[in-house]
């Protein structure tokens, strides 16, 4: 059975290094052929909106917009249902390819045989 990663990023611009690490690991895993599901929760939820990743800047790190594009091209990106609701983010606001789903979907992905969950 192939391994997969379910990565939950709980930080945004409030903790830029932790945020960027999650996106970097997701993009690197996909480039290595590992299936990835990236979950945007908390302040990371904002990166599901057009243009928000471009505003993020971390010296000596790959641009967040490039990392997000890589994940969208080859993996899955999900925004937490409650996190989206608390920020008045609706499905109509999202970048194409991003979905909104809740804890049951996260748990289902995380406990799938061969899955490894990482939380940043």
């Amino acid at each position: 059975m192939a391994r997969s990663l379910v990565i939950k990023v709980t930080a945004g611009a409030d903790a830029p290094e932790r945020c960027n690490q999650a996106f970097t690991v997701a993009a690197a895993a996909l480039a290595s052929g590992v299936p990835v599901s990236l979950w945007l929760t908390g302040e990371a939820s904002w990166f599901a909106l057009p243009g928000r990743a471009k505003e993020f800047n971390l010296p000596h790190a790959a641009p967040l917009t490039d990392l997000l594009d890589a994940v969208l091209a080859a993996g899955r990106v999900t925004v937490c249902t409650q996190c989206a609701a608390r920020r008045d983010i609706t499905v109509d606001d999202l970048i194409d390819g991003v979905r909104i789903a809740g804890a049951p979907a996260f748990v289902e992905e995380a406990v799938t045989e061969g899955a490894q969950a990482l939380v940043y």
Side-chain angles (χ1 to χ4, degrees):
M1 164 97 22
R3 297 283 308 215
S4 65
L5 285 177
V6 181
I7 300 172
K8 180 185 276 193
V9 55
T10 62
D14 58 324
E17 288 183 298
R18 188 162 32 115
C19 175
N20 187 266
Q21 287 170 0
F23 280 85
T24 299
V25 168
L30 285 164
S32 299
V34 176
V36 171
S37 176
L38 180 66
W39 283 73
L40 306 177
T41 67
E43 288 301 296
S45 302
W46 294 115
F47 297 125
L49 302 178
R52 290 294 183 103
K54 281 186 177 184
E55 297 171 5
F56 182 91
N57 184 28
L58 181 63
H60 309 291
L64 198 67
T65 189
D66 293 349
L67 298 171
L68 179 57
D69 287 347
V71 177
L72 283 167
R76 176 186 288 171
V77 178
T78 305
V79 177
C80 158
T81 301
Q82 290 181 15
C83 300
R86 280 190 284 274
R87 289 160 180 81
D88 294 321
I89 297 171
T90 69
V91 69
D92 295 330
D93 299 320
L94 301 176
I95 296 168
D96 286 340
V98 177
R99 69 179 183 146
I100 295 175
F106 177 80
V107 170
E108 181 180 346
E109 287 183 19
V111 300
T112 297
E113 185 176 344
Q116 173 69 52
L118 303 174
V119 178
Y120 287 86

